[in-house]
PDB file of all heavy atoms in Angstrom:
ATOM      1  N   HIS A1508     -24.634 -70.768  29.504  1.00  0.00           N
ATOM      2  CA  HIS A1508     -25.356 -70.893  30.760  1.00  0.00           C
ATOM      3  C   HIS A1508     -25.977 -69.572  31.203  1.00  0.00           C
ATOM      4  O   HIS A1508     -26.866 -69.556  32.053  1.00  0.00           O
ATOM      5  CB  HIS A1508     -24.403 -71.384  31.860  1.00  0.00           C
ATOM      6  CG  HIS A1508     -23.350 -70.389  32.210  1.00  0.00           C
ATOM      7  ND1 HIS A1508     -22.205 -70.243  31.457  1.00  0.00           N
ATOM      8  CD2 HIS A1508     -23.267 -69.462  33.205  1.00  0.00           C
ATOM      9  CE1 HIS A1508     -21.462 -69.282  31.986  1.00  0.00           C
ATOM     10  NE2 HIS A1508     -22.077 -68.788  33.043  1.00  0.00           N
ATOM     11  N   ASP A1509     -25.495 -68.461  30.643  1.00  0.00           N
ATOM     12  CA  ASP A1509     -25.972 -67.139  31.041  1.00  0.00           C
ATOM     13  C   ASP A1509     -27.275 -66.843  30.300  1.00  0.00           C
ATOM     14  O   ASP A1509     -27.266 -66.462  29.117  1.00  0.00           O
ATOM     15  CB  ASP A1509     -24.901 -66.093  30.720  1.00  0.00           C
ATOM     16  CG  ASP A1509     -25.244 -64.700  31.250  1.00  0.00           C
ATOM     17  OD1 ASP A1509     -26.441 -64.361  31.297  1.00  0.00           O
ATOM     18  OD2 ASP A1509     -24.310 -63.950  31.596  1.00  0.00           O
ATOM     19  N   MET A1510     -28.392 -66.974  30.979  1.00  0.00           N
ATOM     20  CA  MET A1510     -29.689 -66.841  30.317  1.00  0.00           C
ATOM     21  C   MET A1510     -29.927 -65.414  29.826  1.00  0.00           C
ATOM     22  O   MET A1510     -30.506 -65.205  28.749  1.00  0.00           O
ATOM     23  CB  MET A1510     -30.802 -67.278  31.267  1.00  0.00           C
ATOM     24  CG  MET A1510     -30.770 -68.757  31.590  1.00  0.00           C
ATOM     25  SD  MET A1510     -32.029 -69.257  32.786  1.00  0.00           S
ATOM     26  CE  MET A1510     -33.522 -68.844  31.902  1.00  0.00           C
ATOM     27  N   ARG A1511     -29.518 -64.422  30.587  1.00  0.00           N
ATOM     28  CA  ARG A1511     -29.723 -63.032  30.162  1.00  0.00           C
ATOM     29  C   ARG A1511     -28.970 -62.765  28.862  1.00  0.00           C
ATOM     30  O   ARG A1511     -29.492 -62.121  27.944  1.00  0.00           O
ATOM     31  CB  ARG A1511     -29.260 -62.075  31.255  1.00  0.00           C
ATOM     32  CG  ARG A1511     -29.463 -60.608  30.901  1.00  0.00           C
ATOM     33  CD  ARG A1511     -29.068 -59.706  32.058  1.00  0.00           C
ATOM     34  NE  ARG A1511     -29.868 -59.976  33.250  1.00  0.00           N
ATOM     35  CZ  ARG A1511     -29.692 -59.363  34.409  1.00  0.00           C
ATOM     36  NH1 ARG A1511     -28.736 -58.451  34.533  1.00  0.00           N
ATOM     37  NH2 ARG A1511     -30.450 -59.651  35.444  1.00  0.00           N
ATOM     38  N   PHE A1512     -27.745 -63.266  28.788  1.00  0.00           N
ATOM     39  CA  PHE A1512     -26.924 -63.129  27.582  1.00  0.00           C
ATOM     40  C   PHE A1512     -27.627 -63.775  26.390  1.00  0.00           C
ATOM     41  O   PHE A1512     -27.759 -63.168  25.326  1.00  0.00           O
ATOM     42  CB  PHE A1512     -25.565 -63.788  27.846  1.00  0.00           C
ATOM     43  CG  PHE A1512     -24.611 -63.765  26.691  1.00  0.00           C
ATOM     44  CD1 PHE A1512     -23.800 -62.667  26.465  1.00  0.00           C
ATOM     45  CD2 PHE A1512     -24.496 -64.858  25.853  1.00  0.00           C
ATOM     46  CE1 PHE A1512     -22.897 -62.654  25.408  1.00  0.00           C
ATOM     47  CE2 PHE A1512     -23.602 -64.854  24.790  1.00  0.00           C
ATOM     48  CZ  PHE A1512     -22.803 -63.740  24.568  1.00  0.00           C
ATOM     49  N   LEU A1513     -28.106 -65.011  26.574  1.00  0.00           N
ATOM     50  CA  LEU A1513     -28.760 -65.729  25.480  1.00  0.00           C
ATOM     51  C   LEU A1513     -30.044 -65.043  25.045  1.00  0.00           C
ATOM     52  O   LEU A1513     -30.297 -64.875  23.845  1.00  0.00           O
ATOM     53  CB  LEU A1513     -29.073 -67.165  25.897  1.00  0.00           C
ATOM     54  CG  LEU A1513     -27.931 -68.167  25.890  1.00  0.00           C
ATOM     55  CD1 LEU A1513     -28.452 -69.560  26.162  1.00  0.00           C
ATOM     56  CD2 LEU A1513     -27.190 -68.142  24.565  1.00  0.00           C
ATOM     57  N   PHE A1514     -30.880 -64.662  26.000  1.00  0.00           N
ATOM     58  CA  PHE A1514     -32.179 -64.093  25.652  1.00  0.00           C
ATOM     59  C   PHE A1514     -32.045 -62.743  24.947  1.00  0.00           C
ATOM     60  O   PHE A1514     -32.947 -62.343  24.210  1.00  0.00           O
ATOM     61  CB  PHE A1514     -33.051 -63.955  26.901  1.00  0.00           C
ATOM     62  CG  PHE A1514     -33.804 -65.206  27.243  1.00  0.00           C
ATOM     63  CD1 PHE A1514     -33.135 -66.365  27.609  1.00  0.00           C
ATOM     64  CD2 PHE A1514     -35.188 -65.236  27.180  1.00  0.00           C
ATOM     65  CE1 PHE A1514     -33.818 -67.524  27.913  1.00  0.00           C
ATOM     66  CE2 PHE A1514     -35.888 -66.402  27.486  1.00  0.00           C
ATOM     67  CZ  PHE A1514     -35.212 -67.549  27.848  1.00  0.00           C
ATOM     68  N   SER A1515     -30.933 -62.059  25.156  1.00  0.00           N
ATOM     69  CA  SER A1515     -30.736 -60.771  24.496  1.00  0.00           C
ATOM     70  C   SER A1515     -30.271 -60.930  23.054  1.00  0.00           C
ATOM     71  O   SER A1515     -30.367 -59.978  22.268  1.00  0.00           O
ATOM     72  CB  SER A1515     -29.711 -59.937  25.273  1.00  0.00           C
ATOM     73  OG  SER A1515     -28.407 -60.493  25.164  1.00  0.00           O
ATOM     74  N   LEU A1516     -29.776 -62.118  22.686  1.00  0.00           N
ATOM     75  CA  LEU A1516     -29.163 -62.303  21.373  1.00  0.00           C
ATOM     76  C   LEU A1516     -29.871 -63.324  20.482  1.00  0.00           C
ATOM     77  O   LEU A1516     -29.879 -63.174  19.256  1.00  0.00           O
ATOM     78  CB  LEU A1516     -27.705 -62.754  21.540  1.00  0.00           C
ATOM     79  CG  LEU A1516     -26.717 -61.729  22.101  1.00  0.00           C
ATOM     80  CD1 LEU A1516     -25.410 -62.410  22.470  1.00  0.00           C
ATOM     81  CD2 LEU A1516     -26.466 -60.629  21.071  1.00  0.00           C
ATOM     82  N   ALA A1517     -30.441 -64.354  21.080  1.00  0.00           N
ATOM     83  CA  ALA A1517     -30.902 -65.501  20.301  1.00  0.00           C
ATOM     84  C   ALA A1517     -32.139 -65.179  19.465  1.00  0.00           C
ATOM     85  O   ALA A1517     -33.037 -64.461  19.894  1.00  0.00           O
ATOM     86  CB  ALA A1517     -31.195 -66.675  21.226  1.00  0.00           C
ATOM     87  N   ASP A1518     -32.174 -65.740  18.265  1.00  0.00           N
ATOM     88  CA  ASP A1518     -33.396 -65.749  17.467  1.00  0.00           C
ATOM     89  C   ASP A1518     -34.322 -66.869  17.949  1.00  0.00           C
ATOM     90  O   ASP A1518     -35.523 -66.669  18.074  1.00  0.00           O
ATOM     91  CB  ASP A1518     -33.060 -65.959  15.990  1.00  0.00           C
ATOM     92  CG  ASP A1518     -32.235 -64.815  15.426  1.00  0.00           C
ATOM     93  OD1 ASP A1518     -32.678 -63.658  15.543  1.00  0.00           O
ATOM     94  OD2 ASP A1518     -31.141 -65.078  14.892  1.00  0.00           O
ATOM     95  N   ARG A1519     -33.713 -68.034  18.216  1.00  0.00           N
ATOM     96  CA  ARG A1519     -34.472 -69.158  18.764  1.00  0.00           C
ATOM     97  C   ARG A1519     -33.609 -69.886  19.788  1.00  0.00           C
ATOM     98  O   ARG A1519     -32.379 -69.822  19.743  1.00  0.00           O
ATOM     99  CB  ARG A1519     -34.903 -70.140  17.664  1.00  0.00           C
ATOM    100  CG  ARG A1519     -35.983 -69.605  16.740  1.00  0.00           C
ATOM    101  CD  ARG A1519     -36.581 -70.720  15.897  1.00  0.00           C
ATOM    102  NE  ARG A1519     -35.568 -71.334  15.055  1.00  0.00           N
ATOM    103  CZ  ARG A1519     -35.587 -72.613  14.663  1.00  0.00           C
ATOM    104  NH1 ARG A1519     -36.562 -73.420  15.062  1.00  0.00           N
ATOM    105  NH2 ARG A1519     -34.639 -73.083  13.879  1.00  0.00           N
ATOM    106  N   ILE A1520     -34.282 -70.577  20.693  1.00  0.00           N
ATOM    107  CA  ILE A1520     -33.605 -71.296  21.769  1.00  0.00           C
ATOM    108  C   ILE A1520     -34.138 -72.727  21.823  1.00  0.00           C
ATOM    109  O   ILE A1520     -35.343 -72.952  21.700  1.00  0.00           O
ATOM    110  CB  ILE A1520     -33.850 -70.611  23.135  1.00  0.00           C
ATOM    111  CG1 ILE A1520     -33.252 -69.195  23.133  1.00  0.00           C
ATOM    112  CG2 ILE A1520     -33.270 -71.433  24.283  1.00  0.00           C
ATOM    113  CD1 ILE A1520     -33.633 -68.376  24.352  1.00  0.00           C
ATOM    114  N   SER A1521     -33.214 -73.673  21.997  1.00  0.00           N
ATOM    115  CA  SER A1521     -33.596 -75.054  22.298  1.00  0.00           C
ATOM    116  C   SER A1521     -33.087 -75.395  23.691  1.00  0.00           C
ATOM    117  O   SER A1521     -31.927 -75.122  24.012  1.00  0.00           O
ATOM    118  CB  SER A1521     -32.998 -76.037  21.278  1.00  0.00           C
ATOM    119  OG  SER A1521     -33.582 -75.870  20.004  1.00  0.00           O
ATOM    120  N   VAL A1522     -33.951 -75.957  24.515  1.00  0.00           N
ATOM    121  CA  VAL A1522     -33.594 -76.334  25.879  1.00  0.00           C
ATOM    122  C   VAL A1522     -33.390 -77.844  25.925  1.00  0.00           C
ATOM    123  O   VAL A1522     -34.292 -78.610  25.577  1.00  0.00           O
ATOM    124  CB  VAL A1522     -34.689 -75.920  26.883  1.00  0.00           C
ATOM    125  CG1 VAL A1522     -34.270 -76.283  28.302  1.00  0.00           C
ATOM    126  CG2 VAL A1522     -34.984 -74.431  26.775  1.00  0.00           C
ATOM    127  N   ILE A1523     -32.199 -78.264  26.356  1.00  0.00           N
ATOM    128  CA  ILE A1523     -31.883 -79.683  26.475  1.00  0.00           C
ATOM    129  C   ILE A1523     -31.853 -80.053  27.951  1.00  0.00           C
ATOM    130  O   ILE A1523     -31.230 -79.369  28.772  1.00  0.00           O
ATOM    131  CB  ILE A1523     -30.537 -80.009  25.808  1.00  0.00           C
ATOM    132  CG1 ILE A1523     -30.634 -79.801  24.293  1.00  0.00           C
ATOM    133  CG2 ILE A1523     -30.106 -81.443  26.113  1.00  0.00           C
ATOM    134  CD1 ILE A1523     -29.341 -80.093  23.547  1.00  0.00           C
ATOM    135  N   HIS A1524     -32.554 -81.137  28.289  1.00  0.00           N
ATOM    136  CA  HIS A1524     -32.555 -81.652  29.656  1.00  0.00           C
ATOM    137  C   HIS A1524     -32.724 -83.165  29.577  1.00  0.00           C
ATOM    138  O   HIS A1524     -33.522 -83.665  28.782  1.00  0.00           O
ATOM    139  CB  HIS A1524     -33.686 -81.018  30.467  1.00  0.00           C
ATOM    140  CG  HIS A1524     -33.594 -81.289  31.938  1.00  0.00           C
ATOM    141  ND1 HIS A1524     -32.389 -81.351  32.609  1.00  0.00           N
ATOM    142  CD2 HIS A1524     -34.551 -81.499  32.882  1.00  0.00           C
ATOM    143  CE1 HIS A1524     -32.602 -81.587  33.887  1.00  0.00           C
ATOM    144  NE2 HIS A1524     -33.907 -81.685  34.078  1.00  0.00           N
TER     145      HIS A1524
END
Side-chain angles (χ1 to χ4, degrees):
H1508 67 279
D1509 187 327
M1510 293 177 62
R1511 181 176 300 177
F1512 179 85
L1513 282 187
F1514 275 64
S1515 69
L1516 291 168
D1518 296 305
R1519 289 193 299 150
I1520 297 171
S1521 292
V1522 182
I1523 294 180
H1524 191 36

